[in-house]
Amino acid sequence: THNVLHNILSTRKFCMRLKNRTIFAGRSNSAVLEEVTMINHGGDTVNIPRLKDPKHPINAVIDKMNAAILEEFGINSYNDSDSVNLWFQDVKTTISQDDGILYLEYEGVSLGAYPIEGTWGIFFDMNTGDTLSTTEFPCHSFFTLDGFDRFIRKYWRAGAEKAFVSAGKCADWDADGYKDRLYDMEYEADSSGRITLSLPYTIFPHVVRGCSPEYSVTLSENQLKPYLNDLGKTFLTRSYLTLSPLKQFLRRKAFAGTIPSTIFIFGDVQLYGEAEGGGNFTMALQKVSTDSISGFYYYDGGRRIQLKGKKEGITATLSETKTGKPANTFHLVIDTSSFVDDGFAWYDMNQKNFYVGGKWIKADNSKEFPLKIMAIEGTTF
């Protein structure tokens, strides 16, 4: 199990590779990458990375970084006696540094019931030896509310739904149970500068992963631009996506405070036979201040209805803004501490767990129906 992982997109080939593999950071800490040859649990030799200060053999900061590397590989020491717990092979490592941060990247095969070939990395603060979190910006954070809705209607929803149907047939599996990830997107740039957004390949569990739904959309930057907010116009670009992983990390760090607080909810108003005012819906909301929310929703095939409201504690109340008409409302509960009845489990971009549930209330309070939430995409809320 990897503690501090940063899955590198196809741009990993642009990672800086230093000839002397020596990094200088701060006034006193310097690190040289060396490789310790060990025998893994299967009896094969494998080179495990270790950092060394060429000037100061005893360096608590470097020791702290090496402890994190050992934890990454699931072992306690660089001694052969610990090799029985080493479940990696074909490991190759590089390091790079900028602005007081060292990035160690390794590629290889993580062994187990389902071997995984990939590239991972750890970011270190060279002054303290601490590992640094590598929160990625979710794809939908790059879109305006209006833009994300228009994008999924024009380019995404129909194709992704067909991919899930095909995947279910391939695996003889109930793909509907995984449609909460229908709007999950990964992104990368190709050599011509076009941007590809695609479903992650990890949607299905390992046992049927070969049948995971496959769907992608490739557009030029100019085609994407009308759907994007300012953040997206910076990050969904070839100029960013072809940076080295360390340069990308520093760029994200500089923009960390600019991510909009948005949430997109896809669900169904459970009408229990009632015909009016319900069915499958899409809702897009954004916090415009500490407690103020605005956005819109619509039923499949219907027109948008604007929403305004407030979030107080774990409760958000959103009213339709129909001029001259009584307002129907949505009552949402977004709780981090306890399970919400009929709630949907959602992890925000910081991997904080929420339960989200709610109901639709008619303007005259004569009727209310629960919401069945089927998917959520959001940053924080």
Side-chain angles (χ1 to χ4, degrees):
T1 301
H2 305 298
N3 261 353
V4 187
L5 296 184
H6 176 59
N7 237 343
I8 308 303
L9 300 175
S10 63
T11 54
R12 69 169 73 105
K13 59 180 177 292
F14 296 92
C15 181
M16 186 189 307
R17 299 179 183 269
L18 304 184
K19 292 182 179 179
N20 61 11
R21 308 176 92 180
T22 301
I23 302 300
F24 296 94
R27 294 184 178 179
S28 58
N29 292 324
S30 60
V32 176
L33 174 64
E34 59 181 17
E35 296 176 331
V36 179
T37 301
M38 301 179 67
I39 307 298
N40 68 13
H41 83 290
D44 298 320
T45 59
V46 56
N47 294 324
I48 301 302
R50 180 168 66 186
L51 300 173
K52 180 180 178 180
D53 185 339
K55 296 181 179 179
H56 306 95
I58 299 176
N59 186 323
V61 170
I62 298 298
D63 289 345
K64 189 175 184 179
M65 295 163 71
N66 281 328
I69 294 171
L70 290 172
E71 185 176 1
E72 181 86 354
F73 284 89
I75 54 179
N76 298 315
S77 72
Y78 287 101
N79 298 325
D80 280 339
S81 60
D82 203 36
S83 293
V84 67
N85 297 315
L86 182 55
W87 289 71
F88 281 85
Q89 69 182 30
D90 301 329
V91 174
K92 298 177 182 178
T93 309
T94 59
I95 56 175
S96 55
Q97 183 270 336
D98 193 3
D99 198 25
I101 297 173
L102 183 145
Y103 175 63
L104 182 147
E105 178 179 292
Y106 65 97
E107 60 181 90
V109 181
S110 174
L111 302 173
Y114 300 97
I116 300 173
E117 182 176 354
T119 301
W120 302 274
I122 317 174
F123 294 91
F124 290 104
D125 184 325
M126 280 294 287
N127 294 312
T128 66
D130 292 333
T131 56
L132 302 172
S133 61
T134 60
T135 300
E136 293 284 356
F137 294 171
C139 193
H140 51 270
S141 69
F142 300 143
F143 292 79
T144 64
L145 286 190
D146 170 73
F148 189 68
D149 178 53
R150 289 189 294 116
F151 176 83
I152 62 175
R153 288 213 248 185
K154 183 172 182 178
Y155 293 109
W156 192 263
R157 181 178 284 154
E161 287 179 341
K162 289 179 181 178
F164 271 80
V165 172
S166 297
K169 292 177 179 178
C170 168
D172 192 19
W173 195 273
D174 182 12
D176 286 348
Y178 297 87
K179 289 185 74 172
D180 58 325
R181 300 190 63 186
L182 184 71
Y183 301 97
D184 283 9
M185 300 178 192
E186 294 181 337
Y187 50 94
E188 61 185 348
D190 63 23
S191 58
S192 67
R194 298 191 305 167
I195 311 299
T196 296
L197 299 96
S198 57
L199 285 169
Y201 81 97
T202 56
I203 290 177
F204 278 4
H206 274 292
V207 67
V208 288
R209 185 153 292 172
C211 289
S212 277
E214 296 182 5
Y215 183 69
S216 64
V217 175
T218 300
L219 301 172
S220 69
E221 289 185 29
N222 285 336
Q223 286 176 302
L224 266 178
K225 194 172 291 185
Y227 305 99
L228 304 180
N229 55 27
D230 290 341
L231 194 69
K233 292 172 184 176
T234 298
F235 286 90
L236 272 187
T237 61
R238 184 177 183 275
S239 62
Y240 167 76
L241 293 174
T242 54
L243 291 173
S244 71
L246 181 51
K247 293 290 186 182
Q248 289 187 7
F249 175 86
L250 293 171
R251 185 72 62 85
R252 291 195 304 273
K253 182 180 176 183
F255 280 80
T258 66
I259 302 173
S261 181
T262 56
I263 188 169
F264 299 89
I265 300 174
F266 307 90
D268 181 21
V269 177
Q270 301 288 281
L271 297 179
Y272 303 116
E274 294 286 341
E276 80 172 337
N280 290 334
F281 70 89
T282 297
M283 182 182 293
L285 304 173
Q286 181 166 351
K287 288 179 73 174
V288 293
S289 66
T290 304
D291 60 357
S292 181
I293 304 169
S294 66
F296 59 85
Y297 83 101
Y298 59 88
Y299 297 108
D300 285 2
R303 61 181 180 83
R304 283 185 185 177
I305 301 171
Q306 298 300 311
L307 294 170
K308 284 188 178 180
K310 290 188 175 183
K311 185 174 184 289
E312 298 177 333
I314 65 172
T315 302
T317 302
L318 304 155
S319 297
E320 298 176 356
T321 57
K322 294 181 178 179
T323 305
K325 293 184 178 181
N328 301 320
T329 61
F330 284 92
H331 179 86
L332 300 177
V333 177
I334 305 173
D335 195 357
T336 59
S337 59
S338 61
F339 180 75
V340 175
D341 287 343
D342 297 321
F344 180 91
W346 166 58
Y347 289 86
D348 72 3
M349 63 174 289
N350 299 312
Q351 292 303 298
K352 188 175 182 180
N353 181 216
F354 292 83
Y355 289 103
V356 184
K359 58 187 176 181
W360 175 90
I361 305 171
K362 194 171 182 179
D364 61 6
N365 291 315
S366 63
K367 296 177 182 178
E368 60 180 53
F369 300 108
L371 306 181
K372 179 183 178 182
I373 297 175
M374 295 179 284
I376 292 180
E377 297 293 341
T379 51
T380 58
F381 210 72

